[in-house]
């Protein structure tokens, strides 16, 4: 560490840019060392976990997260910590001392159940703020190491990667002839993932027993159910924890590695072509966290035969396929993935068959439910200003996600739906006013209404722009830093 580098937590909290640059520099070194030696185990990482800069950056990420206002079972929030006598500095100093003295233990996560689209409930685990900070520290240290091992076919919860990258991966290989799709669904991934399997895979890269003990402590922390009863599960990583997605990716990389070995076994593309000519099949896995598809260049029988192989691989990490949701489909039938409907059909006005991606019926129904919830009769008491802002942000966010597909028809339909819902809401809000008065007040021009300069975003105005397939060229913060250092 340079002599002029401040090491006091209070200084680091007050200088987030300096702390961030220090963390990025150390992460870049870890990333470079891990990439240079695929078999290297890192034995001295604990000091980084409790490093003031890492703790300051971890605090900043927890504070900026949308869940900062939500408390764990200790009922402490980010705001209450900032307003406490010791403030953020005192909180982090005490936490650091406890971790270094090995007296700190994570508390059970607070269970919260939220409804899913299918009517079932999804269980989330809300850690305490202190536990979130420690998890964020661990992620800052572990992520640049494991990123070097992850497959290019994995896209979920990884820096620089997006759902649109996964969709374009599918479209590219579908154009190349991968027409059969094994649509996999892992049953209760975050609830059933094996602690032993996760720790074994973490130990392949991490040799520091103190860091391993922290990771294991989070897996064994337990859950405080809504009834007040504590549950100590022997498997699973609480969905909602900062570290859980990384641990899930580490475990599910077993699936990535299997299909990557199959892909690399043939070497060059012409070898794959010869193999298929002899009656074989080649496969391409595309995975986003626990959602995945396997594209098959072969026959339906080849795709159906994947059931046994995938179940065997998942069993090694304590997981299983959801039989009712896993299926084999042809590209012409189409399938849903990450909110998109991906299907091959004939281009309008020509004889060409192309692979299209556009919002699925389920995604369209979900945004309409949200719009309906915001514009229902019971909400007429809120100001038009607040409602316009809220519904505009909601609609624009949805359109930004789907603007990389063939979504223009969906955008137009959504715009019409919003117009009718908002018009009905305004009539209910002003029951004694004539419709012409409403038009004069809220509709100075054609289209969606506005008030005080706040205009509801029109989905029809969203430009469609195809997302480019990036393959192995997706940069990480550390690869960009290495490129900058090389350029100096």
């Amino acid at each position: 560490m340079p002599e002029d580098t401040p090491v006091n937590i209070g200084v680091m909290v007050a200088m987030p840019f300096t702390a961030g640059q220090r963390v990025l520099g150390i992460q870049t070194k870890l990333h470079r060392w891990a990439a240079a030696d695929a078999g290297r185990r890192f034995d001295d990482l604990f000091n980084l976990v409790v490093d003031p800069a890492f703790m300051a950056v971890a605090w900043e990420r927890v504070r900026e997260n949308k869940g900062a206002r939500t408390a764990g079972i200790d009922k402490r929030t980010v705001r209450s910590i900032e307003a406490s006598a010791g403030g953020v500095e005192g909180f982090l100093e005490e936490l650091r001392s406890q971790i270094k003295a090995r007296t700190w233990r994570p508390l059970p996560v607070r269970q919260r159940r939220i409804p899913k689209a299918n009517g079932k409930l999804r269980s989330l685990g809300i850690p305490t703020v202190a536990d979130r900070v420690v998890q964020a520290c661990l992620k800052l240290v572990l992520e640049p190491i494991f990123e070097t091992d992850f497959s290019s076919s994995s896209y979920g919860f990884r820096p620089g990667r997006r759902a649109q990258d996964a969709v374009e991966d599918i479209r590219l290989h579908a154009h190349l002839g991968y027409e059969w799709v094994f649509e996999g669904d892992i049953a209760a991934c975050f609830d059933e993932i094996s602690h032993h399997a996760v720790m074994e895979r973490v130990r392949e890269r991490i040799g520091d027993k103190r860091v391993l003990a922290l990771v294991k402590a989070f897996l064994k922390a337990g859950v405080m159910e809504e009834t007040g009863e504590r549950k100590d599960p022997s498997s699973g990583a609480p969905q909602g924890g900062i570290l859980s997605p990384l641990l899930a990716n580490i475990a599910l990389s077993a699936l990535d590695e299997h299909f990557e070995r199959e892909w690399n076994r043939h070497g060059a593309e012409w070898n794959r072509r010869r193999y298929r000519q002899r009656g074989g099949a080649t496969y391409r896995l595309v995975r986003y966290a626990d959602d995945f598809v396997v594209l098959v260049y072969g026959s339906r029988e080849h795709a159906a035969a994947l059931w046994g192989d995938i179940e065997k691989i998942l069993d090694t990490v304590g997981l299983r396929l959801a039989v009712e949701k896993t299926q084999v489909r042809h590209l012409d039938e189409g399938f849903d993935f990450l909110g998109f409907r991906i299907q091959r059909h004939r281009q309008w006005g020509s004889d060409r068959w192309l692979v299209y991606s556009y919002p699925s019926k389920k995604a369209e129904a979900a945004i309409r439910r949200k719009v309906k919830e915001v514009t229902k009769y019971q909400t007429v008491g809120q100001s038009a200003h607040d409602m316009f802002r809220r519904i505009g942000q909601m609609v624009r966010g949805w359109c930004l996600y789907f603007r990389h597909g063939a979504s223009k028809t969906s955008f137009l339909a959504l715009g019409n739906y919003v117009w009718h819902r908002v018009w009905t809401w305004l009539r209910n809000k002003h029951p004694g006013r004539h419709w012409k008065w409403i038009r004069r007040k809220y509709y100075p021009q054609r289209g969606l209404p506005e008030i005080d300069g706040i205009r509801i975003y029109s989905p029809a105005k969203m430009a469609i722009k195809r997302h480019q397939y990036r393959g192995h060229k997706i940069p990480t913060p550390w690869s960009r830093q290495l490129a900058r250092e090389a350029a100096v």
Side-chain angles (χ1 to χ4, degrees):
M1 181 189 301
E3 292 182 0
D4 59 345
T5 301
V7 295
N8 179 272
I9 283 185
V11 175
M12 283 297 186
V13 171
M15 302 171 61
F17 179 78
T18 302
Q21 288 301 109
R22 170 172 165 75
V23 169
L24 178 60
I26 295 174
Q27 285 182 317
T28 302
K29 290 180 181 179
L30 293 174
H31 188 72
R32 182 173 65 241
W33 295 335
D37 185 358
R40 176 169 180 168
R41 296 182 77 224
F42 291 80
D43 296 315
D44 189 14
L45 297 175
F46 182 77
N47 289 334
L48 294 180
V49 175
V50 294
D51 184 273
F54 277 76
M55 296 200 74
V57 172
W59 166 262
E60 196 65 22
R61 295 193 176 180
V62 171
R63 187 181 70 82
E64 292 175 351
N65 189 273
K66 289 188 297 184
R69 293 176 294 180
T70 307
I73 63 171
D74 63 352
K75 299 183 179 180
R76 299 187 76 183
T77 64
V78 167
R79 183 174 294 181
S80 69
I81 291 170
E82 291 175 332
S84 63
V88 176
E89 182 179 354
F91 167 76
L92 292 180
E93 286 286 6
E94 181 183 0
L95 181 60
R96 182 171 184 250
S97 299
Q98 290 176 357
I99 298 171
K100 291 179 71 174
R102 302 193 189 186
T103 59
W104 174 85
R105 294 291 184 275
L107 294 174
V109 297
R110 179 167 68 87
Q111 185 186 62
R112 183 180 178 186
R113 297 185 184 275
I114 60 173
K116 297 170 66 175
N118 59 7
K120 296 182 180 179
L121 294 176
R122 174 183 283 115
S123 179
L124 295 181
I126 303 173
T128 64
V129 175
D131 292 353
R132 285 177 237 173
V133 172
V134 180
Q135 286 191 43
C137 286
L138 285 169
K139 186 180 178 184
L140 288 171
V141 174
L142 300 178
E143 190 172 48
I145 297 172
F146 285 97
E147 266 296 318
T148 62
D149 300 332
F150 289 158
S151 169
S152 63
S153 64
S154 166
Y155 294 96
F157 302 111
R158 296 181 57 189
R161 290 172 172 256
R162 305 161 57 186
Q164 288 78 7
D165 288 313
V167 172
E168 290 307 308
D169 194 337
I170 293 172
R171 290 185 67 252
L172 172 71
H173 287 87
H175 280 300
L176 295 176
Y178 289 76
E179 299 181 347
W180 288 99
V181 180
F182 182 93
E183 192 179 356
D185 188 277
I186 299 175
C189 175
F190 285 91
D191 295 332
E192 298 185 4
I193 199 165
S194 167
H195 292 173
H196 175 75
V198 170
M199 292 305 302
E200 284 299 306
R201 294 189 72 85
V202 172
R203 287 189 186 98
E204 291 177 7
R205 276 299 207 171
I206 308 301
D208 192 322
K209 292 183 179 179
R210 294 166 296 180
V211 173
L212 293 171
L214 288 175
V215 174
K216 188 173 182 179
F218 277 114
L219 290 173
K220 301 290 186 182
V223 178
M224 187 66 71
E225 297 185 335
E226 293 177 326
T227 59
E229 181 181 354
R230 175 169 175 165
K231 182 180 179 183
D232 294 310
S234 58
S235 62
Q239 191 169 358
I242 294 174
L243 196 60
S244 296
L246 176 61
L247 297 179
N249 269 333
I250 291 172
L252 289 172
S253 59
L255 189 63
D256 305 339
E257 291 164 3
H258 170 79
F259 283 99
E260 198 160 79
R261 283 193 299 269
E262 285 294 310
W263 182 268
N264 295 331
R265 182 166 63 92
H266 302 290
E269 179 58 34
W270 65 272
N271 282 331
R272 295 189 191 94
R273 194 179 306 118
R274 287 179 58 189
Y275 181 70
R276 292 192 294 262
Q277 289 171 351
R278 295 196 298 267
T282 52
Y283 308 93
R284 171 68 179 180
L285 171 73
V286 178
R287 184 176 66 81
Y288 192 96
D290 56 339
D291 292 326
F292 73 93
V293 296
V294 182
L295 306 173
V296 182
Y297 197 138
S299 64
R300 182 183 184 89
E301 288 70 28
H302 287 126
L306 289 172
W307 270 91
D309 292 341
I310 292 175
E311 284 186 322
K312 192 180 299 183
I313 297 164
L314 292 179
D315 185 61
T316 63
V317 291
L319 299 174
R320 57 191 172 86
L321 289 171
V323 178
E324 67 279 3
K325 294 182 180 179
T326 301
Q327 55 189 332
V328 174
R329 300 181 71 87
H330 192 271
L331 196 59
D332 293 347
E333 300 176 73
F335 62 97
D336 293 348
F337 188 64
L338 302 179
F340 285 89
R341 181 71 176 176
I342 303 173
Q343 188 172 4
R344 184 175 65 182
H345 53 79
R346 193 172 66 181
Q347 185 185 36
W348 186 83
S350 77
D351 292 329
R352 294 196 305 167
W353 286 74
L354 302 177
V355 180
Y356 291 90
S357 59
Y358 45 87
S360 67
K361 296 295 183 185
K362 190 175 179 180
E364 290 179 340
I367 187 62
R368 291 188 180 214
R369 278 198 303 272
K370 291 181 179 180
V371 171
K372 187 176 182 179
E373 182 68 22
V374 173
T375 57
K376 62 185 180 181
Y377 181 79
Q378 290 82 350
T379 65
V380 296
Q382 68 176 315
S383 69
H385 180 281
D386 292 342
M387 196 277 279
F388 287 7
R389 183 186 297 276
R390 184 179 175 190
I391 201 169
Q393 291 173 344
M394 182 190 307
V395 169
R396 189 171 187 273
W398 190 87
C399 292
L400 281 171
Y401 181 82
F402 288 106
R403 71 187 177 118
H404 300 295
S407 308
K408 202 64 178 180
T409 301
S410 296
F411 289 170
L412 291 171
L414 177 60
N416 290 333
Y417 181 78
V418 170
W419 191 95
H420 286 288
R421 290 295 308 179
V422 173
W423 175 257
T424 303
W425 185 87
L426 290 171
R427 293 297 301 270
N428 290 331
K429 185 174 181 63
H430 305 287
R433 294 288 187 173
H434 195 272
W435 67 267
K436 290 184 178 180
W437 180 89
I438 295 175
R439 188 179 66 180
R440 285 194 302 269
K441 181 175 177 63
Y442 294 102
Y443 295 84
Q445 54 185 305
R446 295 188 56 159
L448 291 168
E450 66 175 270
I451 185 73
D452 299 331
I454 302 297
R455 183 178 177 85
I456 294 180
Y457 182 79
S458 174
K461 292 183 178 180
M462 179 63 68
I464 302 297
K465 183 180 179 182
R466 176 59 67 188
H467 187 74
Q468 296 297 315
Y469 173 71
R470 297 188 290 169
H472 295 272
K473 299 179 181 179
I474 301 177
T476 65
W478 317 295
S479 64
R480 282 195 288 264
Q481 180 68 11
L482 287 170
R484 283 193 291 267
E485 292 175 0
V488 174

